[in-house]
Amino acid sequence: MTIDPSPSRLRRTPLFDLHVTMGARMAAFAGYEMPIQYPLGVMKEHLHTRAAAGLFDVSHMGQIALRPRRGSVADIATALERLAPVDVVGLEAGRQRYALFTNVDGGILDDLMIANRGDHILLVVNASRKVADEAYLRAAVSSICAVEALESRALLALQGPQAERVLARFAPQVATMRFMDVRSLSMVGSVCTVVRSGYTGEDGFEISVAAAGAATLASALLEDAAVILAGLGARDSLRTEAGLCLYGADIDESTTPIEAALEWTIPRVRRTGARAGGFPGADVVLEQLKSGAPRRRVGLRSKDRTPVRGSALLFAANADAQPIGKVTSGGYGPSVGGPVAMGYVTRALSAGGTSLSAQVRSNRVPVEVTDLPFVPHRYRRA
Amino acid sequence: MLKFTPEHEWIQIDGDVAVVGITQHAQEQLGDVVFVELPATGKSFGKGAPAAVVESVKAASDVYAPISGQVIETNQSIVDDPALVNSDPMGSGWFFKLKVTKPSELDSLMDEKAYKMQLG
């Protein structure tokens, strides 16, 4: 077997020294030297996150503040609705929403979080897209607001059923927060922006903290016996089981929100009425909402134990030469206890229960189209 | 005679039969093994050809034939319980047995001391 050499000349997060001290295996991800796993390993980090709590460093992600030049946050909300088929105007202060930037073909430029912080808008974007997103925003909305990349802030994700109890020791108010609530809370000497969200399918929180306070906060959280550090390996297997998309794998500029089965992000007010359309690629997206997309992102379960991974081709029948789709994410799901995958298939073959086969090395592996997620979401909605 | 490859396979040679597996270092690097794919008995491989696959949660990795040979037996117990590769990589976690066809190729492999020096 071949083992990759260690990376060099990459950016580091404020928690780099902690990762090294904790024995992390570091690797390059989106230009950063990130912890892929700690000595416990991906499997145990994944299972512990679902059973108790995992702490993830996601400081590589882009945090971008949009502050009004004159006017108000409402003007920024209106401007963002010209970039994304989402309801920003109706987003109340203290709330966050998942959104997609679309291109003129209806493809996805990025998936992101939009939070209304009352006096400004806060975006959290993918690490691999943050430079492009920032330039795009400067070109599109800088007449209305200042676009400020919050380079000096870390981002931690505390995920799992014990997350609330652990975080409440430092800020009791978190217990009253619902899924996608955003608050400023003082914890361990830092004023943090805390959102009840995450990308594992579990209840949990994402905590934006000044770089200087990040290691102190992380260490304080890790003092609780329920909390372990978890790396990007576990984050990937957790989000795959939760049926959540990874930008660049499951969604990109060639996939529309409808093809990606993300139409739930597009609210009624952007489909009909005065605020319908008005975003890039609206003609394509609204037409697909009405008539369906030519292909769909679906869950795929192997009928045997062979993991089916990203870029595997999918076929309608075992003997077919012409593929009908492609796997975009997949691997072993520790909580499922077997292979999990997702990918795109032609619409006619996208119904749950449809039998397909996947090309894995020189074999065709039987797979079945299945509903997502593989593991139910456990968000604190009420 | 026990030999090692730079790709972290071990090979135990007894007469014209060689047992092949992955090293302790390799299993540590992989992490929890969740799936193993072994070659069909009777199949022949040239030295360095991918002969088996070992998969962790994260990724699939090839296991290469350390020398040329024909597969005479495979270890079904690591297919049924892939964690054996982690718990006993140099013993019950073996992958396959080869009938050695080019014994001279063994000379190019490392002994244990040389392998450990490669690991540093």
Side-chain angles (χ1 to χ4, degrees):
Chain A
M1 53 174 281
T2 317
I3 294 167
D4 289 335
S6 3
S8 60
R9 282 192 292 279
L10 294 162
R11 295 181 72 181
R12 292 173 172 182
T13 76
L15 294 183
F16 178 84
D17 290 345
L18 176 70
H19 300 318
V20 172
T21 303
M22 298 301 277
R25 188 175 306 160
M26 308 297 287
F29 184 84
Y32 282 79
E33 196 170 357
M34 296 299 292
I36 300 304
Q37 63 177 82
Y38 300 88
L40 211 48
V42 177
M43 178 94 84
K44 291 190 182 74
E45 291 166 24
H46 174 121
L47 294 172
H48 187 93
T49 300
R50 292 231 192 277
L55 181 64
F56 300 80
D57 179 10
V58 289
S59 304
H60 58 313
M61 298 189 77
Q63 304 179 60
I64 302 174
L66 306 178
R67 301 181 199 278
R69 292 196 187 280
R70 346 172 224 297
S72 66
V73 161
D75 299 326
I76 305 174
T78 301
L80 284 175
E81 289 200 355
R82 291 198 287 273
L83 308 182
V86 67
D87 179 10
V88 194
V89 169
L91 182 66
E92 292 168 27
R95 294 287 294 162
Q96 177 178 270
R97 192 158 279 165
Y98 181 65
L100 307 169
F101 285 150
T102 49
N103 67 19
V104 289
D105 301 319
I108 300 170
L109 286 174
D110 200 5
D111 64 328
L112 67 150
M113 292 293 185
I114 301 179
N116 183 344
R117 302 287 294 115
D119 61 350
H120 69 282
I121 297 280
L122 179 63
L123 309 181
V124 178
V125 305
N126 280 296
S128 61
R129 298 295 298 163
K130 65 181 178 183
V131 172
D133 287 347
E134 198 187 320
Y136 181 57
L137 287 161
R138 280 189 202 289
V141 300
S142 56
S143 61
I144 295 153
C145 56
V147 177
E148 183 193 351
L150 305 179
E151 293 288 349
S152 64
R153 291 187 80 79
L155 191 64
L156 309 185
L158 183 65
Q159 299 282 294
Q162 293 284 325
E164 179 193 292
R165 181 193 61 73
V166 172
L167 209 57
R169 291 173 52 193
F170 304 97
Q173 308 94 309
V174 298
T176 64
M177 293 173 70
R178 290 178 303 139
F179 183 57
M180 295 291 201
D181 275 350
V182 189
R183 297 222 192 136
S184 282
L185 297 171
S186 187
M187 289 192 290
V188 203
S190 293
V191 177
C192 304
T193 303
V194 178
V195 188
R196 193 154 198 163
S197 71
Y199 218 59
T200 58
E202 295 299 317
D203 181 28
F205 299 85
E206 290 189 334
I207 307 155
S208 170
V209 56
T216 306
L217 177 61
S219 300
L221 295 171
L222 287 166
E223 276 173 26
D224 192 293
V227 182
I228 60 157
L229 279 167
L232 292 187
R235 186 172 155 86
D236 192 52
S237 55
L238 287 159
R239 70 93 197 160
T240 302
E241 283 185 342
L244 301 171
C245 292
L246 172 65
Y247 193 86
D250 307 299
I251 50 175
D252 59 31
E253 290 189 52
S254 74
T255 60
T256 70
I258 320 306
E259 289 174 330
L262 294 173
E263 61 274 10
W264 60 269
T265 64
I266 308 174
R268 183 172 296 274
V269 293
R270 302 308 309 279
R271 302 183 187 201
T272 59
R275 282 157 61 212
F279 55 87
D283 50 341
V284 176
V285 171
L286 295 181
E287 173 55 28
Q288 287 189 353
L289 271 174
K290 215 180 301 167
S291 319
R295 57 179 186 155
R296 289 282 280 178
R297 181 177 63 97
V298 296
L300 298 161
R301 210 183 261 270
S302 302
K303 290 185 187 166
D304 68 15
R305 290 166 54 194
T306 310
V308 178
R309 299 182 187 271
S311 79
L313 294 175
L314 295 163
F315 299 84
N318 218 17
D320 285 4
Q322 194 61 37
I324 53 81
K326 198 168 105 172
V327 174
T328 50
S329 279
Y332 182 85
S335 301
V336 168
V340 292
M342 57 178 113
Y344 286 81
V345 297
T346 55
R347 186 166 151 194
L349 294 165
S350 64
T354 305
S355 291
L356 302 172
S357 67
Q359 185 79 39
V360 179
R361 295 175 287 274
S362 58
N363 305 323
R364 292 277 172 96
V365 175
V367 296
E368 188 176 277
V369 174
T370 181
D371 290 337
L372 293 170
F374 294 99
V375 172
H377 296 162
R378 296 201 287 181
Y379 305 140
R380 187 67 59 87
R381 292 190 185 275
Chain B
M1 179 173 46
L2 182 63
K3 295 267 198 171
F4 296 84
T5 73
E7 289 79 30
H8 311 284
E9 289 93 13
W10 57 262
I11 178 166
Q12 173 78 53
I13 305 102
D14 186 6
D16 65 351
V17 174
V19 187
V20 177
I22 67 169
T23 65
Q24 174 67 20
H25 175 75
Q27 76 80 15
E28 283 171 9
Q29 290 296 311
L30 278 170
D32 295 288
V33 174
V34 297
F35 180 79
V36 176
E37 189 176 285
L38 295 173
T41 303
K43 198 161 178 193
S44 290
F45 293 97
K47 175 176 158 60
V53 176
V54 58
E55 303 204 20
S56 66
V57 178
K58 289 198 303 283
S61 306
D62 287 320
V63 177
Y64 305 104
I67 55 169
S68 303
Q70 184 179 28
V71 177
I72 52 171
E73 192 182 341
T74 60
N75 184 6
Q76 181 62 33
S77 57
I78 62 169
V79 175
D80 298 336
D81 181 14
L84 274 179
V85 177
N86 295 115
S87 59
D88 193 13
M90 304 290 291
S92 59
W94 64 276
F95 277 61
F96 52 85
K97 291 182 185 172
L98 287 176
K99 187 169 192 321
V100 181
T101 51
K102 292 182 186 166
S104 62
E105 288 174 346
L106 290 166
D107 299 338
S108 64
L109 300 179
M110 290 179 278
D111 61 16
E112 187 160 15
K113 189 175 164 199
Y115 177 67
K116 284 192 167 152
M117 279 189 55
Q118 178 198 300
L119 294 181

